Amino acid sequence: MKDKRPTWTSKYSFIITTIGSAVGLGNIWRFPYVMGQNGGAIFLAVYILIISTICFIPLINELYIGKLTKKECIGAYESINKNFKYLGALNPITGLLIASFYFIVGGWIINYIIKSFINYKIQNYEEYFTEFIKNPIYPCILTILFLFICIFFTARGLKKGIETANKSFMPLLAVILIFLVIVSLNLPNAHLGLEYMFKPDFTKLNSHMVLNALGQAFFTLSIGMGALLTYGSYIKEDKTLVKSVYTIILSDTIFAILAGIMIFPAVFSFNMEPNSGAGLVFVTLPKIFSQIQYGNIVSGAFFILLFCAAITSGISILEGPCASLIEKFNISRTKACFILFLFISIIAIPATLSFGILENIQFFHKSIFDFLDFLTSNIMLPVNTLFLCLISGWYLKIRGDILIKNKIGAFLFNIGLKYIVPISLILLIIIGLH
Ligand code: TRP
């Protein structure tokens, strides 16, 4: 039985759900640590420049192709040219692979929420985190639980599930984030963190950092796996896609900057290292929470915030593959969700175990988890975006004036779509392979 193709209830629903997709672990977990490792303020400056210019083009392009074709990824590519359907199929496949590692981190978040409320004091935070992720059972159960929660909303459909989740979790996320920013700014020596974020050190500017900023910007905007294409295909009529896209970029950037303002003053206030990498959120911050007044409440709030961010993005990761299953195989949403649940579990469980009992299984000298992250973030996402930009710019010959009223803007869009974005993506892929 085929479900009727859904559409957004309102423009607001579309925008908040797309912002929900964009604002995720990429903003609150990844952005601060990538910024920490790339020199702070100067990274932020480059990042803002890139996200407001270069990223605008693939973002609007993906939404526009969805809106134009009114189909899920495979059908959308196929309607442009029959032979493109295989390129289209790469999108939901990328989605399944991203889901398999993204949801593992979702499981860790659930653990830290529980931990915040039960047993707050931990002796050694590094050891606790490494022991926890090595455990063969608990993280697997939590990953499946997180997957189940996301699937639950997806299975309820666009209006009752996806829109409802975003309309509830996104405002909650904003409120908690503002609360935590205030807490952080009131810590002693908070200004050191702000200086680190906003006072650029130009000696740290280098090409590698620029590419890191580009990669981060693509990831955080959810470009490259058809999530946006699918969301775009549910738009009824929207003459002002440009405005919506700027609202999405602006909101995503504000969330990322606020996440930085929440994290760095706290890190500097407690004399910790801002460049500790992926452990920043799961090791450094819990250490800080244990030293502040009402630390367990702050810790609980922080991990609930992370949970809200991860859920709305997780839902968007599932929607692309889900829509493809529904429309290509003519099955109901519930059945599609059941298949996704099984499929993602089959990849996610070995990936979860790759921190412990399966750590010796390696692909290209990487554990299963690291390999999935590398393959999707460094290769598949930029490759998918590259194909879609080439199809739009060179095959469909989409021109800026269809989307942008202003002449100069339309001209810059054309150059960007045909040359600048593809070249940047090729560089990103080449550097990513090293
Ligand atoms: N943008 C999300 C984040 O910042 C992650 C995400 C959701 C994503 N959907 C995506 C990344 C699609 C790439 C493609 O956490």
Side-chain angles (χ1 to χ4, degrees):
M1 183 204 73
K2 189 175 173 177
D3 289 12
K4 209 175 134 273
R5 213 162 197 291
T7 49
W8 300 108
T9 336
S10 63
K11 192 166 160 193
Y12 168 74
S13 310
F14 159 64
I15 292 184
I16 194 153
T17 309
T18 314
I19 295 174
S21 164
V23 177
L25 297 176
N27 301 61
I28 296 161
W29 173 56
R30 199 168 184 273
F31 176 78
Y33 87 70
V34 175
M35 182 170 163
Q37 288 173 331
N38 285 279
I42 186 70
F43 175 84
L44 180 62
V46 172
Y47 174 82
I48 291 179
L49 187 72
I50 289 178
I51 205 164
S52 54
T53 54
I54 299 184
C55 290
F56 170 82
I57 294 167
L59 178 55
I60 198 165
N61 182 41
E62 206 181 311
L63 287 168
Y64 180 69
I65 295 290
K67 186 181 158 216
L68 189 73
T69 56
K70 297 265 179 296
K71 293 206 164 75
E72 53 64 53
C73 283
I74 307 175
Y77 280 63
E78 201 176 8
S79 66
I80 297 170
N81 180 320
K82 276 221 158 49
N83 298 321
F84 290 166
K85 69 173 177 225
Y86 302 102
L87 298 180
L90 277 179
N91 287 276
I93 294 173
T94 310
L96 289 176
L97 298 178
I98 292 190
S100 309
F101 77 86
Y102 201 87
F103 290 7
I104 295 175
V105 184
W108 298 349
I109 296 170
I110 299 181
N111 174 62
Y112 276 77
I113 296 179
I114 300 171
K115 208 75 199 151
S116 306
F117 292 113
I118 318 175
N119 176 11
Y120 187 64
K121 292 269 177 271
I122 295 169
Q123 293 304 327
N124 180 331
Y125 286 86
E126 279 86 4
E127 198 180 286
Y128 172 76
F129 180 60
T130 30
E131 285 305 311
F132 164 68
I133 59 177
K134 267 191 192 157
N135 184 307
I137 298 165
Y138 198 42
C140 285
I141 297 175
L142 294 177
T143 301
I144 301 295
L145 177 62
F146 188 82
L147 170 63
F148 183 80
I149 299 172
C150 291
I151 290 266
F152 169 79
F153 288 109
T154 308
R156 290 182 54 115
L158 190 65
K159 291 188 178 73
K160 279 201 211 136
I162 302 177
E163 287 186 13
T164 311
N166 279 278
K167 285 177 185 165
S168 336
F169 288 123
M170 290 308 289
L172 179 62
L173 187 153
V175 171
I176 302 181
L177 187 57
I178 291 167
F179 163 70
L180 290 175
V181 164
I182 296 171
V183 171
S184 184
L185 288 177
N186 280 304
L187 291 171
N189 290 325
H191 66 277
L192 294 177
L194 294 180
E195 267 168 36
Y196 180 77
M197 273 191 77
F198 297 113
K199 213 167 153 194
D201 172 358
F202 288 95
T203 58
K204 300 233 168 90
L205 189 66
N206 61 55
S207 58
H208 208 78
M209 178 250 261
V210 175
L211 284 166
N212 278 337
L214 191 66
Q216 169 64 22
F218 280 129
F219 185 83
T220 188
L221 292 176
S222 307
I223 300 171
M225 54 142 278
L228 297 171
L229 191 152
T230 313
Y231 278 1
S233 74
Y234 299 146
I235 299 176
K236 263 184 273 180
E237 244 347 290
D238 183 359
K239 295 198 180 67
T240 52
L241 207 48
V242 173
K243 252 198 211 151
S244 311
V245 167
Y246 265 112
T247 313
I248 293 159
I249 293 183
L250 187 69
S251 316
D252 183 75
T253 309
I254 292 174
F255 275 104
I257 293 176
L258 285 177
I261 301 182
M262 162 178 75
I263 291 174
F264 289 114
V267 169
F268 279 87
S269 180
F270 285 86
N271 261 327
M272 308 240 181
E273 288 301 319
N275 54 359
S276 61
L280 187 63
V281 158
F282 293 104
V283 177
T284 314
L285 288 187
K287 236 189 247 178
I288 294 173
F289 296 144
S290 72
Q291 295 173 36
I292 60 179
Q293 223 184 355
Y294 303 115
N296 51 345
I297 295 178
V298 176
S299 171
F302 175 75
F303 287 106
I304 291 174
L305 162 86
L306 216 51
F307 178 78
C308 294
I311 285 273
T312 51
S313 297
I315 290 173
S316 84
I317 297 176
L318 294 174
E319 185 57 18
C322 181
S324 292
L325 283 174
I326 295 173
E327 292 172 32
K328 277 283 128 192
F329 296 95
N330 230 344
I331 55 176
S332 70
R333 190 169 266 273
T334 320
K335 236 190 220 158
C337 284
F338 185 70
I339 297 172
L340 279 181
F341 183 73
L342 287 183
F343 203 88
I344 295 173
S345 307
I346 290 172
I347 313 176
I349 289 178
T352 316
L353 297 176
S354 70
F355 291 100
I357 51 176
L358 297 186
E359 68 186 335
N360 291 328
I361 299 185
Q362 305 249 321
F363 296 94
F364 301 96
H365 307 293
K366 288 181 174 16
S367 70
I368 304 174
F369 181 94
D370 289 342
F371 178 71
L372 285 172
D373 182 7
F374 167 81
L375 179 70
T376 52
S377 309
N378 293 13
I379 303 173
M380 296 181 81
L381 289 176
V383 165
N384 292 337
T385 309
L386 177 64
F387 284 144
L388 198 58
C389 286
L390 293 178
I391 290 175
S392 298
W394 295 89
Y395 186 81
L396 283 177
K397 298 196 173 25
I398 289 177
R399 292 294 165 258
D401 45 1
I402 309 176
L403 298 158
I404 305 166
K405 295 276 164 300
N406 159 334
K407 271 209 172 108
I408 302 177
F411 172 73
L412 292 175
F413 177 90
N414 294 340
I415 300 187
L417 183 65
K418 287 180 82 169
Y419 306 101
I420 302 177
V421 176
I423 292 170
S424 314
L425 285 162
I426 291 170
L427 284 177
L428 198 65
I429 296 163
I430 295 173
I431 305 271
L433 283 173
H434 284 86

